[in-house]
Amino acid sequence: MNIIIIICVPIVAFILLALGVGIFVKKRMKHEAKEFINPDFSGDISTIESIQHHFGKIRAATNNFSDDNKLGQGGFGAVYMGKLVHGKEIAVKRLSKDSGQGDQEFKNEVLLLAKLQHRNLVRLLGFSIEGIERLLVYEFVRNGSLDQILFDRTKSSKLDWNSRYRIIVGIAKGVLYLHEDSRLMIIHRDLKASNVLLDGNMNPKIADFGMARLVVPDATIESTNLIVGTYGYMAPEYARYGHFSVKSDVFSFGVIVLEIITGRKIFTQNEEDRGDLLSCAWRSWREGTISNLIDRTLSETNGGQPDMVRCIHIALLCVQQNTASRPTMASVVVMLNSSTITLPIPTEPGFYFSRTTSILHLESPNTQSPNNTYSSMGDLYPQ
């Protein structure tokens, strides 16, 4: 009898131990699989813990922030492509400087931004902090940024008029959400083609919204002493005096629309179209030759040109020098969705560049050099 007990007790103990380990491993694997799955609109992102992730796991996903995984370098940090153990792809922004905030304040801001959900915004999945390291984890958008396709002669052929119009409307809806429909009023302050990503269906997703809340301390809605943004896209009142508002984003949106329709960058040194795009568009408007601005790949199509010209008209309304004259994004969305609304006549846009120089002369409150003042908000997939 004693022999039976001696034999059975270890066997039972081993079986129970094995079952316990199996249950633990199964639960752990289930937790691992769920950890980075982006919450949908009904998901629980109500606590900091629900979006904070282990630094080592994200570092491993990017192969220790390998150059091979690097998607680009922006003004506020590098961006890496990452792949988690269970195969989910992510984009990781590694912030390059201290935000000037405490850890708790930073976490609270990230939590607020993670709750902003819109089909035309890149989803912020979470964050990680270790020492001075701060990481932001985003969904991975496979087709990269709009500028990488739009300004490539081969790739741009994929963007027919229907695709470009859908991109224009999608960007407008995303900015409108940030301005009026989100829990926070977000002014992007660096809206540009490289901060618009395209998903597998060429739907636009705005990146880097809310970065000013995370990395630019002591800024108000009215003005800031630290000008962040990209020349050509910045509204004149922001570039010169540091004054920004929702109308600053409207200006940037207008520039993007002109780029989408013309296939040209805001400023180019190409011999065939030397000069800044705003000046060219304004001259063409006044001379009645606005259709000459349309991208050649689009001008060959039939039936869409009136819509293209109307979009250029809307873009010129957005880039007017006078801030008060620019429409709100709500008005822009209405104008884009209705061909029967009579559009007002645009006034002169804000000019940046002369016809003979590529240098922007600013009357800025910031005494930084142009290289420092030109600080992108950190393109998610910068070139």
Side-chain angles (χ1 to χ4, degrees):
M1 187 66 177
N2 290 336
I3 296 175
I4 295 175
I5 293 175
I6 292 172
I7 295 174
C8 290
V9 168
I11 293 175
V12 172
F14 176 79
I15 293 174
L16 292 175
L17 179 63
L19 287 174
V21 171
I23 292 172
F24 173 80
V25 170
K26 186 175 181 179
K27 286 184 177 180
R28 181 64 180 173
M29 291 177 64
K30 187 176 181 180
H31 174 74
E32 296 271 351
K34 286 184 176 181
E35 187 169 8
F36 275 101
I37 296 176
N38 182 56
D40 57 20
F41 291 100
S42 61
D44 178 18
I45 51 175
S46 59
T47 64
I48 290 174
E49 290 74 21
S50 65
I51 60 169
Q52 183 170 5
H53 305 291
H54 192 272
F55 183 87
K57 189 168 296 184
I58 301 178
R59 180 172 54 193
T62 63
N63 193 21
N64 196 25
F65 306 109
S66 165
D67 286 343
D68 293 336
N69 287 52
K70 193 172 183 178
L71 297 171
Q73 177 76 39
F76 281 89
V79 181
Y80 300 85
M81 185 266 190
K83 182 176 287 189
L84 301 171
V85 175
H86 56 280
K88 182 177 179 62
E89 294 177 325
I90 55 175
V92 179
K93 181 184 292 294
R94 189 182 192 184
L95 299 184
S96 59
K97 61 178 66 176
D98 184 23
S99 68
Q101 299 173 322
D103 285 354
Q104 190 60 45
E105 184 180 359
F106 178 81
K107 292 177 181 180
N108 291 340
E109 294 288 1
V110 173
L111 180 59
L112 289 173
L113 293 177
K115 291 179 179 179
L116 302 183
Q117 299 281 349
H118 190 276
R119 67 191 302 267
N120 296 120
L121 300 181
V122 175
R123 291 181 175 180
L124 176 60
L125 305 182
F127 72 101
S128 180
I129 295 180
E130 182 170 290
I132 62 172
E133 290 272 18
R134 295 186 175 191
L135 308 178
L136 299 176
V137 183
Y138 294 93
E139 65 172 319
F140 182 75
V141 185
R142 182 158 296 280
N143 276 332
S145 60
L146 172 61
D147 66 320
Q148 293 172 338
I149 297 178
L150 183 62
F151 304 130
D152 184 290
R153 291 187 179 275
T154 301
K155 295 178 180 179
S156 63
S157 61
K158 301 177 183 179
L159 296 176
D160 59 15
W161 172 238
N162 288 334
S163 297
R164 298 193 196 201
Y165 183 74
R166 186 171 65 249
I167 290 170
I168 290 170
V169 173
I171 297 171
K173 289 181 177 179
V175 178
L176 174 60
Y177 174 82
L178 292 175
H179 286 181
E180 298 186 18
D181 298 330
S182 65
R183 302 183 183 207
L184 308 168
M185 185 185 74
I186 298 290
I187 300 173
H188 194 292
R189 294 171 60 188
D190 195 26
L191 190 63
K192 56 184 177 180
S194 60
N195 272 338
V196 175
L197 307 186
L198 300 175
D199 68 13
N201 295 318
M202 292 297 181
N203 294 311
K205 291 178 175 287
I206 299 170
D208 280 357
F209 57 90
M211 285 296 291
R213 298 181 64 93
L214 298 176
V215 294
V216 182
D218 302 325
T220 68
I221 297 301
E222 290 78 23
S223 65
T224 179
N225 288 326
L226 178 60
I227 294 178
V228 289
T230 304
Y231 293 156
Y233 292 92
M234 287 190 288
E237 70 278 2
Y238 181 42
R240 293 171 182 160
Y241 310 115
H243 300 162
F244 62 94
S245 67
V246 292
K247 295 296 186 71
S248 308
D249 283 350
V250 171
F251 184 97
S252 303
F253 170 79
V255 174
I256 295 175
V257 173
L258 290 175
E259 289 184 323
I260 290 173
I261 298 176
T262 64
R264 290 175 47 183
K265 295 181 180 180
I266 180 59
F267 188 80
T268 178
Q269 290 291 343
N270 292 340
E271 290 296 330
E272 59 185 50
D273 55 7
R274 185 186 298 272
D276 76 281
L277 186 53
L278 294 188
S279 298
C280 291
W282 180 243
R283 287 195 298 270
S284 296
W285 172 266
R286 295 184 65 182
E287 295 168 3
T289 58
I290 200 72
S291 60
N292 294 339
L293 279 177
I294 297 173
D295 192 339
R296 292 173 184 174
T297 61
L298 294 179
S299 60
E300 297 172 358
T301 63
N302 297 320
Q305 194 171 88
D307 292 332
M308 300 175 202
V309 172
R310 182 177 176 84
C311 282
I312 293 176
H313 189 161
I314 295 171
L316 287 173
L317 292 174
C318 292
V319 298
Q320 293 176 101
Q321 174 79 26
N322 188 342
T323 306
S325 298
R326 298 173 207 154
T328 63
M329 287 310 303
S331 297
V332 168
V333 170
V334 171
M335 289 187 287
L336 287 171
N337 287 326
S338 175
S339 59
T340 60
I341 296 176
T342 301
L343 303 180
I345 303 301
T347 58
E348 184 177 280
F351 291 110
Y352 287 110
F353 305 99
S354 71
R355 298 187 183 188
T356 58
T357 180
S358 63
I359 299 176
L360 171 60
H361 299 283
L362 297 178
E363 298 175 10
S364 169
N366 195 332
T367 58
Q368 299 178 76
S369 68
N371 286 337
N372 289 334
T373 303
Y374 177 91
S375 63
S376 159
M377 293 292 279
D379 313 355
L380 196 52
Y381 297 164
Q383 291 181 313

